[in-house]
Amino acid sequence: MGAYLIRRLVTLPLLLLGISAASFALLNLAPGDPAEIVLRQRNPAQLPSQAEVSAMRIELGLDAPLPVQYVLWVSQALAGDMGRSYVTEQPVAGQLASRTVPTALLTAAALALALLVAVPVGILSARRRGGPVDAIARLAALVGAAVPSYALAYGLIILFAVKLSWLPALGYGSAAQVVLPAFALSLAPMAQLMRLIRASMLETLGQDYIRTARAKGLAEQTVAFRHALRNAMLPAIGATGVNLGYLLSGAVIVETIFTWPGLGQLMVGAALTRDYPVVQGFVTYIAVVVLLVNLAADVALRIADPRLRFSRDRM
Amino acid sequence: MAFGAQRSGGRVPVTSVAGGSRSRLRWIALLREPGTALGLFLVVSLLLAGVLAPWLPLDDPTEIDLPDRLLPPSTEHILGTDHLGRDTFSRVIHGARMTLLAAAVTLALSMTIALTVGMLSGYHGGWLDSALMGVVDLLLAFPSLILALAVAGALGPGLFNVLLAAGAVWWVGHARIIRGVTLGARQMEYVTAARGAGAGNLRIILRHIAPNILGPIIVIASLDVGWIILGIAGLSFLGLGAQPPTPEWGAMLNDARPHLQTAPRLLLLPGAAIFLAVLGFNLLGDGLRDLLDPRTVRPGGSPALL
Amino acid sequence: MPNILSKSLRIALPLGLGLMFLLAVACGSPAANSETAPPAAGSAPEATAPAAAIPQQAVTTAIPVQRVESSSPTQQPAEPPAAAVRDRPTLKAGVIWLDSPLDPVEGGYVATQSAMSETLFRLSGTTLSPEPWLATEATQVAPLVWRIGIREGVKFHNGNVMDAQAVKASLERAIRLSPAAGDTLTVDTITVEDAQTITITTTVPQPTLPGLLILPALAITDAAAAYTAGEGNFIVAGALTGPYIPTEYTPKKHLNSVANDDYWGGTPPLAGIEHVAIPDTNSRELALQAGDIDVAVNVSPAGAQAINAHQGTHTETSGIGTSLVLWWVNFERGILADPLVRRAVAHAIDRESIAGLVAPPGSGSFAELLLPEELVACPGVNAPGFDPDAARNLLAQAGYTDSDGDGILDKEGQPLEIVIGGYPERFQLPIMAETAQAMLADVGIKVEVLITEWSVVKEPAWDLFGWYNTVVQGGGDPVFNISKFAGLRGDASGSGTNNYGHYDASRLVDIITPSTSVADLGGRKEIACEALAVVTEETAFLPVAHVNMVYGVSDRVTDFEAHPTSHYFFNHRVGLSE
């Protein structure tokens, strides 16, 4: 366990370095001269002259060799300075920070909702394998995984906000406003988690130690919950990283529809205007978050699953 | 196989090597499962619609006709017309073509990269393996849709750019699986024997390793198409993918938003088309997985693009 | 690991992971707490405010003025709401942008829209002529001199009295801090005659001075208080006069106000107004129907249909349309620099039909060119009509043929391909782009549609760019309007900020220059019409329609005025019944 942790912690900075290099490369692969973009945004009435562009290149530090620029960008990013948006000229780090909480709230709510539904349904479905509950749950999971969130979101708004007036249609600020976007976002991961838990539950129920437990005379209920549940939960935890990536991706669309002032909206706007510093900062930020959460999930998994504690991590 | 792979790839690659030949009966068994049969039916319909669209007696999907806008379904326009008077039925059918094309391009691109990286890594092993898997680990930290968005942001909106972006980010999870299968196959006795008999690397890869990879690839591919369709339609919905007047389902959904209440069918039709296409590929993928890869424990565990 | 611990962990893990993620994300940024959302300084996307054109250098270096978050301790409500206020309802409004600072001199059209600031004159909602507001009258006593009466009994939100001295100080501050406003007014001196009278002497004749005084940048502020409060504290200064007092402003998100019970026009019937920025038209319409908001500004024809069918909501439409949707034409990219191609494009697009799609019935047609007939009619100057054959001929004259038979014209191996841009917040623009795409395809021009953020207008990425613009800023001076649309000046700025297409207006300058010595309105109209003829001939831009303002309104809203401009969404009369 200790060795594993140490190995992970040692590779972490390497991965972070790689992530920053990848993001940096992305920005520099993009067509267009940032110096010219900034000048045009500042004064659209006048075409920037060659001299102005050169001066701006120096001001933005674009005249330095790429490796120097990269080192500078990384060192500034470490100090919390991720540059400024070409369009609004606001600091990127500040924009990311102010939009983090709404996105975190939304994704956490969606994840919680997905787990709350998927775990009991998945277990029930596995225990009543082949029964009507199982059939319905599997069908629901199939449907849930195939419904596009962007179409679902509008259905939810029309039904619950416009027709029934139970919930607000959109916006950010109150608890009621979280419900619809969180549901729209959670449906697909919910379906996935449900299938995952059902499958691993089925697998566990067929394993030797469960049979042994049964033979010992414990009630089936207890067996299922003491032994199977624990093992069934493991893949769910293991999938947290994937689900996080999924939720963050989905949030991009759901936030746009529900005018949720989160990172997704920021990213879509930046991608549409090719506001590279924001795109770059956002991608780096998300990658770091996903990486850290994955690490946390892995560690948690190892704590929860004694079988993994001593296994060598081959991949 | 360590557990770490699960979080990263989203599914546990099965390192066991499937037998070389399978009974034909098993393929027929595929159709006995009603879900799989439905999936096959949906996929075949989609393929037919997509391939035949230009030769079907349909209106031009891009021809606008302002006086005839927002018409309800009639004999002339069986699904009515959209906000610019274009025939909705024709646009949905042509949308199938765009969707299939997009999925095929993404899949081809990502599979090529995944196969190259995965097989090189698994077969060569050593430092190359470590290096390539390091890159894979790195890219796994970027959620694919977000990376696709970033690439689209760098290259500018457009279906081609989105396909490029999706293809470029989609291979990562697959490379791992292919590496695992390759690794398993390489250690089989007959491979060792072939190598002992002086067979070249290329020959070993083609003769002994490739057949083992085929099964998993078919499964991954069919399970993936659904996600790719959802993802690309999502990017188009955001205005980053297909541009007007391209009849693409995600873009149609976006166009239909103002008419959500006055002509909801404009939203429902492309939405239903996406749903059925994704459902079809998912069902078929499930069936194929059960058939080709019965020991895979992770159903539908594809890392979602969307 | 002890068994008990692992057992509880198993249960706590799913929840714990959720929390962990929350924490990881919240703390992930090295600067997580160092910055709150700053406003997008100078990002007012549309020409709704003259002072949007403050020099850009100033914008980029200035510290954002409105940095108001609920967490910020320095920005408390200017005045505690009176006890009586609590019984009154609060109105919620959904608007598009909410991105300009509140201080009028920084492009503060938001403050005028939301009934927080007031100008000396206001545009009438029915005749569009300037009528006294904080002024009581205006008289032109000499060609260069105007005498203006100042309303008695007006107090700033901080309690200070607004007298002639305060008005003078306010105008001088505006001229100093917003050169755009200064350029428009061309003020030489401002003199205080008595407590309720000032005279303004201009350097060139301004026959429509009251019309210029409607500009939101010239809203009257308590200059001394604004100065004392310093940057970033405009709300605290209480320097405005309107029926509603701003209490909290997070640009691009929300703006809250409470009633000004000392308002000179009477006690407002609302406790306050909460504005929310909802950039997407469709979302605003849905929010209104869901009851999230009581007023939705700018709704689409389809949305209007749904809103009128929905129980409890309806639409209110202004009688005339002053907002012009148009396409800027890009002279920089080459293809449309050819006048023949520009005219061909103008003939190939059926703008009358497009107007029918994007403007509610009764809106002005493109044939009225720049200005609704109410403001200026130029007999003999007509927009190029829809005539595809003429377009084809012009393109042939320009040397374009379909040499490879692919349906797209080409010249010297280059296909005739243009990009039509627009931004999605104005629902008109994507529809315009897509219909024009199909119409231009008919004459052999290939079009790529680029719907993106408005700031892309500043990049050389388009040939036509859709724009939604408020016309009447000149308050009726036709020369002002023409110059603005010809790109000679931004909104009242003189800096040409709106010349996104880099149109070379040298011919126009020759025509307009003499106007500085022409004082009578008739003479200025003549100059304007002459200029309009040139602009039309050169196809400097393509107008599409004058759009009437359509507001979605809850049935509970009382005394709502559907003003035809984007200057005044609310006033002191609007209320909300229970």
Side-chain angles (χ1 to χ4, degrees):
Chain A
M1 182 72 194
Y4 167 78
L5 249 184
I6 288 166
R7 204 179 67 83
R8 286 298 297 258
L9 287 176
V10 168
T11 48
L12 189 66
L14 282 175
L15 280 174
L16 291 177
L17 210 62
I19 284 170
S20 65
S23 314
F24 185 77
L26 188 74
L27 182 83
N28 281 281
L29 285 175
D33 183 348
E36 200 186 320
I37 297 174
V38 171
L39 283 169
R40 278 176 173 275
Q41 288 292 341
R42 284 192 187 169
N43 187 2
Q46 234 152 36
L47 297 183
S49 70
Q50 202 51 53
E52 284 174 312
V53 172
S54 307
M56 181 51 72
R57 288 185 66 83
I58 292 168
E59 191 189 321
L60 294 175
L62 297 171
D63 54 330
L66 274 185
V68 176
Q69 286 185 41
Y70 171 65
V71 170
L72 196 69
W73 183 72
V74 169
S75 55
Q76 283 175 342
L78 285 175
D81 176 7
M82 303 184 90
R84 278 167 186 271
S85 155
Y86 287 166
V87 177
T88 62
E89 307 222 11
Q90 298 301 324
V92 172
Q95 293 191 33
L96 291 176
S98 72
R99 284 165 175 273
T100 293
V101 173
T103 297
L105 278 175
L106 178 61
T107 39
L111 187 65
L113 191 62
L115 283 168
L116 271 176
V117 177
V119 172
V121 174
I123 292 167
L124 203 66
S125 185
R127 294 197 59 210
R128 307 271 160 82
R129 185 184 190 177
V133 174
D134 186 31
I136 292 169
R138 288 174 68 193
L139 189 68
L142 267 172
V143 170
V147 171
S149 64
Y150 27 96
L152 174 72
Y154 283 107
L156 292 174
I157 292 175
I158 289 291
L159 182 63
F160 292 104
V162 173
K163 298 278 184 237
L164 297 172
S165 294
W166 287 355
L167 291 162
L170 34 95
Y172 171 72
S174 73
Q177 281 164 322
V178 190
V179 179
L180 293 183
F183 183 72
L185 185 56
S186 74
L187 193 64
M190 188 190 287
Q192 219 143 278
L193 270 173
M194 201 286 276
R195 299 184 75 186
L196 196 69
I197 289 166
R198 176 181 177 276
S200 81
M201 186 86 181
L202 282 176
E203 195 197 21
T204 322
L205 284 172
Q207 271 170 4
D208 286 347
Y209 70 102
I210 299 273
R211 286 197 211 110
T212 316
R214 269 200 200 118
K216 279 183 185 164
L218 280 163
E220 207 209 351
Q221 187 95 6
T222 325
V223 175
F225 276 89
R226 281 245 178 112
H227 298 271
L229 171 61
R230 160 176 160 181
N231 292 299
M233 283 310 296
L234 294 178
I237 298 165
T240 304
V242 175
N243 275 319
L244 177 69
Y246 177 94
L247 288 164
L248 288 172
S249 297
V252 168
I253 286 180
V254 171
E255 282 182 5
T256 307
I257 294 173
F258 288 94
T259 62
W260 192 264
L263 290 164
Q265 261 197 340
L266 180 75
M267 177 64 185
V268 172
L272 279 170
T273 41
R274 299 163 86 183
D275 192 345
Y276 304 137
V278 177
V279 171
Q280 186 183 30
F282 175 82
V283 169
T284 314
Y285 181 45
I286 291 296
V288 169
V289 170
V290 171
L291 200 69
L292 292 177
V293 173
N294 269 332
L295 179 65
D298 257 18
V299 171
L301 200 61
R302 266 148 210 282
I303 293 169
D305 189 351
R307 287 172 302 172
L308 283 174
R309 243 177 274 160
F310 306 105
S311 73
R312 258 177 60 77
D313 185 42
R314 236 176 56 193
M315 294 187 63
Chain B
M1 172 88 17
F3 208 90
Q6 287 197 7
R7 64 102 190 143
S8 42
R11 59 216 122 178
V12 169
V14 175
T15 44
S16 72
V17 177
S21 68
R22 285 179 183 280
S23 158
R24 250 175 222 166
L25 283 174
R26 302 204 53 183
W27 285 98
I28 295 163
L30 193 65
L31 289 175
R32 260 191 232 126
E33 189 69 36
T36 317
L38 176 66
L40 195 66
F41 169 75
L42 287 172
V43 169
V44 168
S45 316
L46 186 74
L47 282 171
L48 281 177
V51 172
L52 298 178
W55 292 278
L56 294 175
L58 295 169
D59 290 357
D60 180 347
T62 62
E63 170 103 31
I64 68 166
D65 181 7
L66 297 183
D68 282 350
R69 56 196 295 266
L70 296 170
L71 290 183
S74 65
T75 45
E76 203 184 333
H77 301 287
I78 51 173
L79 295 179
T81 60
D82 74 358
H83 66 298
L84 299 178
R86 297 174 295 204
D87 184 72
T88 308
F89 182 64
S90 173
R91 283 182 75 75
V92 170
I93 298 294
H94 277 88
R97 190 177 172 78
M98 290 314 300
T99 301
L100 279 176
L101 207 67
V105 170
T106 309
L107 210 55
L109 188 62
S110 65
M111 277 300 171
T112 310
I113 306 176
L115 275 172
T116 314
V117 172
M119 286 174 70
L120 261 180
S121 195
Y123 189 77
H124 189 281
W127 63 270
L128 189 63
D129 184 25
S130 308
L132 288 174
M133 285 305 115
V135 173
V136 165
D137 265 341
L138 190 72
L139 289 175
L140 279 168
F142 297 94
S144 14
L145 178 89
I146 283 164
L147 202 52
L149 251 175
V151 175
L155 300 176
L159 189 56
F160 179 75
N161 291 345
V162 162
L163 296 185
L164 209 65
V169 300
W170 199 247
W171 59 273
V172 185
H174 305 342
R176 254 187 196 291
I177 299 167
I178 291 165
R179 169 187 174 272
V181 179
T182 311
L183 207 63
R186 198 183 61 151
Q187 287 155 353
M188 297 303 286
E189 278 170 27
Y190 57 85
V191 175
T192 322
R195 188 179 287 148
N201 286 342
L202 190 65
R203 188 181 157 83
I204 292 174
I205 287 177
L206 287 178
R207 286 285 300 275
H208 301 292
I209 298 191
N212 283 307
I213 295 175
L214 201 63
I217 289 216
I218 292 175
V219 174
I220 299 169
S222 56
L223 280 171
D224 252 15
V225 175
W227 292 113
I228 293 175
I229 291 174
L230 272 178
I232 287 175
L235 286 168
S236 293
F237 174 79
L238 292 174
L240 285 159
Q243 298 296 309
T246 313
E248 200 273 346
W249 292 336
M252 287 171 71
L253 264 170
N254 193 23
D255 281 348
R257 290 189 309 129
H259 310 281
L260 177 60
Q261 291 168 274
T262 45
R265 70 168 193 290
L266 292 178
L267 209 90
L268 288 174
L269 289 168
I274 296 172
F275 171 71
L276 290 176
V278 175
L279 185 70
F281 277 106
N282 284 356
L283 284 169
L284 185 66
D286 280 354
L288 284 172
R289 187 198 45 229
D290 292 344
L291 182 77
L292 296 175
D293 218 9
R295 286 173 56 187
T296 308
V297 291
R298 302 172 64 80
S302 189
L305 179 63
L306 234 215
Chain C
M1 175 148 313
N3 237 347
I4 301 158
L5 183 58
S6 75
K7 203 189 279 175
S8 54
L9 256 176
R10 264 174 262 139
I11 297 154
L13 263 174
L15 282 175
L17 276 172
L19 276 176
M20 207 143 62
F21 159 55
L22 196 79
L23 283 175
V25 176
C27 309
S29 161
N33 300 311
S34 66
E35 293 263 2
T36 50
S43 69
E46 291 172 357
T48 36
I54 20 175
Q56 296 295 304
Q57 293 82 346
V59 170
T60 56
T61 51
I63 295 166
V65 168
Q66 256 68 44
R67 184 181 301 177
V68 187
E69 294 269 3
S70 45
S71 59
S72 165
T74 57
Q75 298 279 318
Q76 290 306 313
E79 278 172 25
V85 168
R86 288 195 199 101
D87 307 320
R88 288 177 265 162
T90 297
L91 184 132
K92 288 186 184 167
V95 297
I96 307 184
W97 309 101
L98 271 194
D99 59 354
S100 84
L102 283 184
D103 190 344
V105 301
E106 297 204 41
Y109 65 90
V110 162
T112 315
Q113 282 178 342
S114 53
M116 293 168 182
S117 70
E118 292 168 310
T119 42
L120 290 173
F121 285 81
R122 177 187 201 272
L123 281 175
S124 147
T126 46
T127 64
L128 286 179
S129 52
E131 51 189 33
W133 204 5
L134 289 180
T136 50
E137 55 170 346
T139 328
Q140 193 171 15
V141 291
L144 294 177
V145 184
W146 278 85
R147 190 173 61 222
I148 292 166
I150 305 298
R151 189 173 294 281
E152 234 171 312
V154 178
K155 277 187 194 162
F156 291 109
H157 294 161
N158 57 22
N160 295 345
V161 172
M162 186 200 79
D163 54 11
Q165 190 59 48
V167 171
K168 172 181 150 78
S170 170
L171 292 176
E172 283 173 352
R173 174 174 182 265
I175 291 163
R176 194 177 73 245
L177 295 179
S178 169
D183 282 2
T184 304
L185 279 183
T186 62
V187 166
D188 186 26
T189 53
I190 300 174
T191 327
V192 175
E193 301 292 325
D194 58 50
Q196 307 307 138
T197 316
I198 58 168
T199 49
I200 297 179
T201 311
T202 56
T203 53
V204 296
Q206 292 288 5
T208 58
L209 189 77
L212 296 179
L213 292 173
I214 65 114
L215 297 171
L218 299 173
I220 303 305
T221 55
D222 185 345
Y227 178 76
T228 313
E231 280 192 275
N233 285 315
F234 192 74
I235 286 183
V236 176
L240 301 174
T241 60
Y244 290 94
I245 305 170
T247 54
E248 196 198 339
Y249 185 26
T250 310
K252 288 189 169 175
K253 287 182 187 159
H254 54 84
L255 167 64
N256 297 340
S257 67
V258 295
N260 172 13
D261 287 336
D262 271 346
Y263 183 61
W264 59 268
T267 306
L270 295 169
I273 302 178
E274 290 176 12
H275 300 76
V276 206
I278 308 176
D280 183 68
T281 307
N282 188 228
S283 302
R284 266 196 319 283
E285 294 158 359
L286 291 171
L288 174 74
Q289 294 173 64
D292 299 4
I293 53 176
D294 306 303
V295 172
V297 171
N298 290 82
V299 302
S300 69
Q305 211 182 324
I307 287 168
N308 285 320
H310 187 258
Q311 207 180 355
T313 56
H314 65 279
T315 56
E316 302 251 4
T317 307
S318 66
I320 29 173
T322 65
S323 301
L324 177 66
V325 280
L326 69 129
W327 277 299
W328 298 117
V329 174
N330 199 339
F331 288 69
E332 183 193 345
R333 264 161 64 100
I335 291 185
L336 291 185
D338 183 339
L340 292 172
V341 180
R342 285 204 304 278
R343 270 168 53 208
V345 167
H347 280 305
I349 302 175
D350 181 1
R351 285 180 274 162
E352 196 85 62
S353 294
I354 297 179
L357 296 186
V358 299
S363 297
S365 131
F366 83 104
E368 290 168 9
L369 291 167
L370 292 182
L371 314 164
E373 259 176 62
E374 286 84 355
L375 293 180
V376 92
C378 294
V381 183
N382 291 311
F386 176 51
D387 187 350
D389 285 328
R392 287 187 195 99
N393 286 337
L394 285 164
L395 290 172
Q397 275 180 50
Y400 284 96
T401 51
D402 186 6
S403 62
D404 51 5
D406 62 351
I408 300 160
L409 300 178
D410 51 77
K411 182 164 118 181
E412 290 153 14
Q414 290 297 311
L416 182 47
E417 196 177 329
I418 65 170
V419 175
I420 302 188
Y423 44 98
E425 287 87 352
R426 296 290 187 183
F427 68 88
Q428 287 93 352
L429 308 182
I431 298 176
M432 275 161 53
E434 232 180 307
T435 39
Q437 180 182 46
M439 289 164 179
L440 289 171
D442 279 347
V443 300
I445 302 176
K446 190 178 178 203
V447 172
E448 195 187 310
V449 170
L450 177 74
I451 296 302
T452 173
E453 295 220 337
W454 70 273
S455 62
V456 171
V457 76
K458 299 173 186 173
E459 289 172 32
W462 49 271
D463 296 287
L464 296 178
F465 200 93
W467 201 257
Y468 183 104
N469 213 319
T470 308
V471 173
V472 285
Q473 268 132 26
D477 177 11
V479 173
F480 175 91
N481 284 316
I482 301 282
S483 336
K484 178 183 139 194
F485 277 94
L488 287 181
R489 56 208 310 178
D491 297 289
S493 71
S495 68
T497 312
N498 266 0
N499 191 2
Y500 296 120
H502 301 279
Y503 164 58
D504 172 12
S506 45
R507 271 182 73 193
L508 220 58
V509 175
D510 294 343
I511 295 169
I512 287 177
T513 312
S515 71
T516 49
S517 60
V518 178
D520 73 299
L521 206 54
R524 293 181 78 85
K525 220 170 200 178
E526 241 167 67
I527 292 174
C529 283
E530 205 183 323
L532 190 58
V534 171
V535 171
T536 311
E537 187 200 317
E538 295 191 331
T539 329
F541 53 91
L542 296 175
V544 175
H546 294 284
V547 184
N548 288 3
M549 289 282 285
V550 187
Y551 301 80
V553 183
S554 155
D555 293 350
R556 294 169 55 221
V557 176
T558 54
D559 290 310
F560 184 80
E561 183 196 11
H563 202 275
T565 72
S566 305
H567 287 331
Y568 324 102
F569 294 153
F570 300 107
N571 54 32
H572 67 282
R573 286 183 297 272
V574 68
L576 200 62
S577 65
E578 282 314 310

